[in-house]
Amino acid sequence: MAEHDSTKSADETKEDGGGGGSATATAKPKEKSKKAPKRKPPGLLPPWKVLLHNDDKNDFLHVIGTIVELTPLNAEDAKQRTEEAHRTGVALLLVTHKERAELYKDQFESKSLTVTIEPDEK
């Protein structure tokens, strides 16, 4: 049989968990996570008007139906805007941010309706 050497160094005793005493592990304190620099929340995007123009080729039902289909406006509001565009030549459909206004413009053009957009200077 091999002889057991009882002259271990303190480091060797810690490594193999020996030493006769109760081994208690001490957890390293977790490093505090670095906080991201505070950023300002994005402000409101500048408003843009979406304007419906009168034309001689589309009937009222097509215009009203398209407004209801493409916007959050209900049928009564769509009818009022359509009549205003018919009487005055142009009607304000809604005000939104530029990207959505451009989308509305493209969608109305795909339905053969004339819509323009412009900044809303309040």
Side-chain angles (χ1 to χ4, degrees):
M1 290 193 154
E3 289 184 32
H4 183 62
D5 185 9
S6 62
T7 58
K8 289 185 179 179
S9 69
D11 288 336
E12 290 173 334
T13 305
K14 286 180 186 173
E15 286 176 6
D16 68 5
S22 63
T24 57
T26 55
K28 288 185 179 179
K30 291 185 179 180
E31 292 182 27
K32 292 182 181 178
S33 60
K34 293 182 181 178
K35 292 183 180 178
K38 294 211 176 199
R39 295 182 186 170
K40 286 185 177 180
L44 293 176
L45 296 172
W48 282 68
K49 295 189 268 189
V50 179
L51 304 167
L52 173 68
H53 294 267
N54 188 37
D55 63 36
D56 295 330
K57 58 185 175 182
N58 292 295
D59 63 22
F60 273 55
L61 291 178
H62 173 69
V63 177
I64 293 167
T66 302
I67 293 170
V68 170
E69 177 187 348
L70 299 179
T71 71
L73 297 173
N74 61 33
E76 184 59 35
D77 291 336
K79 181 180 177 191
Q80 289 174 355
R81 296 325 191 266
T82 302
E83 290 172 349
E84 180 182 349
H86 181 71
R87 281 191 323 273
T88 66
V90 66
L92 175 64
L93 280 179
L94 47 86
V95 177
T96 186
H97 60 85
K98 185 177 182 181
E99 187 175 339
R100 180 161 290 156
E102 290 171 341
L103 176 62
Y104 280 130
K105 181 179 183 294
D106 293 341
Q107 289 175 325
F108 276 95
E109 286 178 355
S110 76
K111 301 281 189 172
S112 302
L113 295 173
T114 306
V115 166
T116 59
I117 63 171
E118 64 183 48
D120 184 20
E121 299 171 13
K122 286 188 174 182

